[in-house]
Amino acid sequence: MTNDNWFNPKGSRPEDGWTDVVDGRVDGWTHTGIRTGALTDGGELRLPAAAVERMVVPLSGSFHVTWSGAENGEQGLEGRGGVFEGPTDVLYLGSGLQAQITGSGRVAVAEAPTDVVKPVAYIAKADVPVELRGAGQSSRQVHNFGTPAGLDAVKLLACEVITPAGNWSSYPPHKHDTHRDGEESNLEEIYYYEVDVARGVDAPAGAEPFALHRTYASDDRPIDEFRQVRTGDVALVPYGWHGPAVAAPGYDMYYLNVMAGPDPERVWNITDDPAHGWVRQVWDAETIDPRLPYGEDTAR
């Protein structure tokens, strides 16, 4: 059963200058949020004061963030040319702060409601933990700037994933919708997607990059989502098995993951779909896709 709440095409939820704002006002959604927006020099995007912790993630371009409240300060974000150019520097803003973002480019803000306050934290791109996950056609590159490996936050978990053309990501299908201490977390998850013609490929002007997203039921809660996604689309995973996210041949795929939930511990523990978890064993005989890693020195 598809649900329009769980898939938000680019531009379907504009608000106050933001291209899209997805948060707890979506029916059935509670623990996470995301904002995406675009700026040109002289423009400004505002983050209102709220009981929400946030992470500012440049998608393309450079920005300057000024914040006020319990803390006051400002920070430049060097950013990057685009999401397929490797990690970016990011800025974590604790709960209760208001902020203004200026600059030129495209930016995302990951969010999680909380009353608990953590201090503002800047993470330089050189300090972002980079992981090459999987092997063979399941190879992908993960930037763990907002996981416990890279950030001390309250509820918010965030990372971004680059998947080369033709590869499968978020695979094998897995879930994190039931709290089992030390085994599985209960986390909502957001996928913000971007896709582009694969690095080094000469595509005609009419090419239309796309990827595929899948979510399906893990228990008696009905969900059945199989979507074609394009740059700027947002897919929500409230529960259930999710994966694969598939980069179509000819098109590289990026997604920003935002996760949070009601569990007392901020951790990402998953359970594989038992019908497909065995594929991890195949990776032992395979190597990481030689197209990885993607970075500024390998930009298209």
Side-chain angles (χ1 to χ4, degrees):
M1 179 180 68
T2 60
N3 183 329
D4 287 341
N5 284 346
W6 309 145
F7 181 65
N8 299 270
K10 178 182 179 181
S12 60
R13 295 184 181 273
E15 182 179 310
D16 296 335
W18 295 93
T19 305
D20 285 289
V21 177
V22 177
D23 57 22
R25 290 171 293 179
V26 175
D27 187 33
W29 202 249
T30 304
H31 300 288
T32 59
I34 191 169
R35 296 167 179 261
T36 60
L39 281 172
T40 56
D41 287 331
E44 180 181 81
L45 290 169
R46 291 184 172 269
L47 296 171
V52 176
E53 58 181 344
R54 299 177 167 117
M55 175 164 281
V56 181
V57 182
L59 300 170
S60 66
S62 300
F63 302 94
H64 191 87
V65 184
T66 304
W67 63 91
S68 59
E71 282 190 67
N72 300 310
E74 57 183 297
Q75 176 67 53
L77 296 177
E78 179 184 348
R80 54 192 167 184
V83 296
F84 297 104
E85 295 187 9
T88 180
D89 51 346
V90 298
L91 182 68
Y92 171 82
L93 298 172
S95 179
L97 297 178
Q98 64 179 352
Q100 296 79 44
I101 303 173
T102 57
S104 181
R106 293 178 296 106
V107 64
V109 180
E111 302 183 337
T114 180
D115 291 321
V116 179
V117 177
K118 294 276 189 177
V120 172
Y122 168 72
I123 303 173
K125 64 176 66 179
D127 296 327
V128 172
V130 177
E131 172 190 1
L132 299 184
R133 186 178 296 171
Q137 287 186 279
S138 297
S139 301
R140 58 272 204 190
Q141 176 175 329
V142 185
H143 304 152
N144 286 306
F145 48 65
T147 68
L151 175 70
D152 178 26
V154 183
K155 292 288 188 179
L156 182 65
L157 292 159
C159 66
E160 54 186 10
V161 181
I162 296 172
T163 308
N167 285 6
W168 287 35
S169 197
S170 205
Y171 190 73
H174 56 280
K175 73 182 185 80
H176 37 74
D177 61 11
T178 304
H179 176 67
R180 292 183 292 127
D181 194 32
E183 297 182 23
E184 184 180 338
S185 306
N186 183 7
L187 299 166
E188 291 179 345
E189 185 165 15
I190 294 172
Y191 283 71
Y192 165 79
Y193 281 98
E194 296 205 5
V195 285
D196 202 354
V197 173
R199 185 179 53 184
V201 172
D202 185 15
E208 296 185 355
F210 73 97
L212 301 174
H213 173 95
R214 180 80 171 113
T215 306
Y216 56 100
S218 61
D219 52 30
D220 60 357
R221 292 172 289 184
I223 189 168
D224 188 2
E225 297 283 323
F226 187 37
R227 301 283 190 167
Q228 184 182 78
V229 294
R230 302 181 186 278
T231 292
D233 292 347
V234 175
L236 304 182
V237 181
Y239 46 77
W241 307 113
H242 46 286
V246 181
Y251 303 121
D252 289 339
M253 175 180 68
Y254 161 97
Y255 53 83
L256 171 64
N257 277 151
V258 184
M259 292 177 280
D263 293 354
E265 187 179 5
R266 176 177 168 255
V267 63
W268 181 66
N269 288 329
I270 66 170
T271 298
D272 285 338
D273 183 336
H276 306 295
W278 65 269
V279 301
R280 292 185 186 273
Q281 302 170 22
V282 176
W283 301 345
D284 293 339
E286 298 179 329
T287 59
I288 292 287
D289 190 317
R291 292 175 291 180
L292 295 174
Y294 280 28
E296 288 181 338
D297 58 341
T298 58
R300 51 176 45 78

